[in-house]
Amino acid sequence: MASGKQEQMNYYVGIDVGTGSARAALVSQQGTLAAYAEYPIRKWEPQADHHEQSSDDIWAACCIVTKKVVQGIDAARIRGLGFDATCSLVVLDKQFQPLPVNQEGDSNRNIIMWMDHRAASQVERINRTRHQVLKFVGGVMSVEMQPPKLLWLKENLRESCWNKAGHFFDLPDFLSWKATGVLARSLCPLVCKWTYSADSGWDESFWKMINLEDFVADNYSKIGTQVLSPGDPLGKGLTPEAAKELGLPAGIAVAASLIDAHAGGLGVIGADVKGYNLPCENQSITSRLAVICGTSSCHMGIEHVVQGHAAYPELQVKASARFQSIYTCLNSHLDSIKKSLPLGFLTVDLHVWPDFHGNRSPLADLTLKGMVTGLRLSHSLDDLALLYLATVQAIALGTRHILETMEAAGHSISTLFLCGGLSKNPLFVQMHADITGLPIVLSQEVESVLVGAAILGACASGDFTSVQEAMARMGKVGKVVFPNPEEKRFYDKKYKVFLKLVEHQKEYAAIMNEDI
């Protein structure tokens, strides 16, 4: 960044808060990461299905990483700031102080995380209402959405939390409020997690039906009365107080935020694909599907399978000796045992249903559990490698399940755009291409989520005329992976087995729930 050309470059800061860390990047107007930083955030699991965080801890982590990425940069070149985060629920009192979301009364833990499943009975009751708003969330509401969590707070922490609450934020909106003091909410989390309609707003009858009529008092003031589109500028930009904490200039543009997965989509899906022989070229952007390969899609499942296996210590030693990640080591091990067979065929008699923590899409069934069929008595490194392969395939089969459900609803997807941590794994990418039968685009910048957050800041700054222009200018194609057509018949069979697994799981549950 010493050259004159680089000194004249405009930059934007993207801040991403994931499940385990806060990350920041300084991104150029050409979509290139100039600096990156990451800092861990705390999580509490006081009991089964309860997952909590601290908004103070998260904001402090955001400040640490942002200060790191802007060191040595001319402040006048930093034009905008964008946030994305997991869709966790943040609770503050009327004075904007944290309130406890736990039985222990610890107000530091004031966030119910996205992955928290404490509100299982509440979401079951909500879904039994069959209210018309449910048709906009797939027919049934997920336990990971905000209404069941709100109802849980009212029913379990009325005195310590519910009655004192002055503000409920989705985490992305909390971050933009901390930066600007503006209470406006982004359309993205409100539609995806709160039942807000972009066309008609709130449906008050829904909140009354689920016994949360007090939640909507004072014109929904507890969740903000102003709704903005992602990328819209907030107020007068960064406040002096927030600017000092983040190490940024006061007054720079701050954008209405996005859910983290949506930011990943923003960072990759609008890239110019001319010259790559892709079916989505010259088609509407609706022919493209972004797959964000992070914690919620699969990473927990793969880690659980690998780290819980008896051969995991042996794998750690082998990977360490080779200076490789455990996944690179597993990929190499699979290559060594495949012999003359195509790699995927190694799991001809080993099948996995990967929903260890319930299924969000397309089944929206929180009761589903993981399944494996084809296990043997041995527990060698070969067995671990095969189970890892079957799990990766299961994740890709789940993507195919989602695609077919979308197509049945009228969508027509011709190309996948992958980003996130697991898009760095060539086996994971190739399995998605082979199993879905679709070409896959990988972005030039692996950290597409941070590019997406920075695109928000770029839009808020006014440097681009639209989100679409910013996506095309800042999102870049890095690599294209095509499916192996000769393996289609094998994966068609694997997919039939995959669907049978969930069918049998439901049958087993029905049998066990019969009256004895």
Side-chain angles (χ1 to χ4, degrees):
M1 285 185 280
S3 71
K5 183 178 179 181
Q6 286 176 318
E7 287 175 0
Q8 297 304 311
M9 184 78 69
N10 286 340
Y11 294 95
Y12 315 95
V13 175
I15 300 177
D16 163 60
V17 176
T19 301
S21 66
R23 307 183 306 151
L26 187 70
V27 182
S28 77
Q29 63 194 73
Q30 297 176 345
T32 303
L33 264 69
Y36 170 89
E38 183 172 4
Y39 195 81
I41 53 180
R42 294 189 65 185
K43 293 179 289 183
W44 289 266
E45 299 175 19
Q47 54 185 292
D49 293 328
H50 287 232
H51 300 270
E52 299 166 4
Q53 289 181 318
S54 161
S55 62
D56 287 345
D57 176 64
I58 287 174
W59 180 250
C62 290
C63 295
I64 289 170
V65 293
T66 304
K67 285 180 177 177
K68 286 183 179 179
V69 299
V70 299
Q71 285 181 352
I73 300 295
D74 179 2
R77 298 296 171 194
I78 303 174
R79 299 271 299 150
L81 169 63
F83 292 96
D84 72 79
T86 64
C87 36
S88 300
L89 178 66
V90 184
V91 187
L92 304 179
D93 66 16
K94 295 177 179 63
Q95 288 74 44
F96 297 96
Q97 297 303 307
L99 283 171
V101 296
N102 48 78
Q103 303 284 2
E104 296 82 4
D106 182 356
S107 59
N108 185 50
R109 292 151 44 198
N110 68 316
I111 296 178
I112 300 179
M113 291 182 66
W114 65 269
M115 61 194 291
D116 188 289
H117 281 198
R118 70 182 69 183
S121 66
Q122 284 77 15
V123 79
E124 184 180 350
R125 278 180 274 142
I126 290 172
N127 286 328
R128 281 203 302 265
T129 68
R130 299 184 182 275
H131 194 280
Q132 61 180 1
V133 299
L134 298 179
K135 69 181 180 181
F136 298 109
V137 294
V140 292
M141 183 171 287
S142 165
V143 70
E144 295 174 4
M145 293 180 66
Q146 307 302 12
K149 293 175 181 176
L150 293 165
L151 188 55
W152 187 93
L153 289 174
K154 181 177 180 179
E155 294 177 348
N156 292 273
L157 300 176
R158 183 184 288 267
E159 297 300 323
S160 60
C161 181
W162 184 258
N163 290 345
K164 297 178 180 178
H167 305 276
F168 295 100
F169 290 94
D170 223 88
L171 182 54
D173 288 330
F174 166 81
L175 297 172
S176 61
W177 165 74
K178 282 288 289 186
T180 65
V182 177
L183 289 169
R185 303 303 203 266
S186 169
L187 186 64
C188 173
L190 287 188
V191 169
C192 294
K193 299 297 176 180
W194 296 76
T195 74
Y196 185 85
S197 168
D199 296 323
S200 56
W202 298 107
D203 188 327
E204 191 165 339
S205 67
F206 168 71
W207 300 103
K208 290 180 178 178
M209 185 175 286
I210 67 171
N211 197 30
L212 285 177
E213 64 280 352
D214 48 339
F215 173 70
V216 303
D218 300 323
N219 192 29
Y220 298 86
S221 62
K222 291 183 179 180
I223 49 172
T225 56
Q226 183 185 11
V227 180
L228 299 176
S229 295
D232 284 352
L234 290 166
K236 298 179 180 179
L238 199 61
T239 65
E241 179 183 5
K244 182 178 180 181
E245 293 174 336
L246 291 165
L248 292 170
I252 67 166
V254 179
S257 58
L258 276 174
I259 296 170
D260 52 351
H262 295 232
L266 192 69
V268 66
I269 203 170
D272 184 351
V273 298
K274 290 178 182 175
Y276 290 93
N277 195 30
L278 288 165
C280 66
E281 185 178 347
N282 298 321
Q283 290 187 357
S284 165
I285 197 169
T286 57
S287 68
R288 308 179 182 194
L289 182 71
V291 182
I292 318 304
C293 312
T295 306
S296 59
S297 65
C298 49
H299 200 198
M300 289 187 301
I302 293 178
E303 282 192 342
H304 176 76
V305 167
V306 172
Q307 295 179 8
H309 197 277
Y312 181 60
E314 180 185 350
L315 172 64
Q316 286 182 299
V317 171
K318 189 173 181 179
S320 178
R322 295 181 175 183
F323 300 98
Q324 294 178 330
S325 74
I326 59 172
Y327 301 109
T328 300
C329 189
L330 281 170
N331 292 348
S332 298
H333 193 79
L334 285 168
D335 282 333
S336 72
I337 64 177
K338 72 176 184 179
K339 299 179 182 177
S340 61
L341 285 172
L343 180 64
F345 287 29
L346 291 171
T347 61
V348 64
D349 57 358
L350 182 64
H351 312 282
V352 172
W353 181 268
D355 291 318
F356 303 118
H357 197 56
N359 180 280
R360 182 191 294 170
S361 180
L363 301 175
D365 187 344
L366 65 92
T367 68
L368 290 180
K369 305 294 190 295
M371 295 180 69
V372 182
T373 177
L375 291 174
R376 300 182 295 181
L377 285 174
S378 60
H379 49 258
S380 67
L381 189 55
D382 283 4
D383 294 305
L384 171 54
L386 292 177
L387 186 57
Y388 158 71
L389 173 60
T391 305
V392 171
Q393 290 172 335
I395 300 301
L397 290 163
T399 300
R400 177 169 170 173
H401 194 194
I402 292 170
L403 283 167
E404 291 194 356
T405 304
M406 293 178 67
E407 287 168 2
H411 295 272
S412 180
I413 305 298
S414 65
T415 310
L416 300 182
F417 289 70
L418 263 62
C419 67
L422 277 166
S423 68
K424 303 173 188 176
N425 185 331
L427 175 69
F428 183 88
V429 174
Q430 190 64 56
M431 287 297 106
H432 266 76
D434 293 345
I435 287 171
T436 64
L438 298 178
I440 289 175
V441 175
L442 300 175
S443 63
Q444 181 175 294
E445 290 290 352
V446 176
E447 302 296 347
S448 295
V449 174
L450 285 164
V451 173
I455 285 174
L456 294 174
C459 292
S461 74
D463 288 351
F464 296 95
T465 58
S466 66
V467 172
Q468 289 77 10
E469 182 193 359
M471 289 166 63
R473 292 275 299 277
M474 295 178 67
K476 299 287 194 301
V477 175
K479 183 180 180 182
V480 175
V481 177
F482 290 94
N484 297 316
E486 62 272 17
E487 298 185 14
K488 180 181 184 302
R489 186 166 176 268
F490 175 77
Y491 285 119
D492 285 347
K493 290 184 175 181
K494 286 283 287 190
Y495 185 58
K496 289 181 180 179
V497 174
F498 179 82
L499 295 180
K500 282 290 184 183
L501 289 178
V502 70
E503 181 182 316
H504 291 322
Q505 186 173 161
K506 291 180 177 179
E507 290 175 356
Y508 304 152
I511 292 170
M512 296 308 297
N513 288 328
E514 290 176 355
D515 292 336
I516 298 176

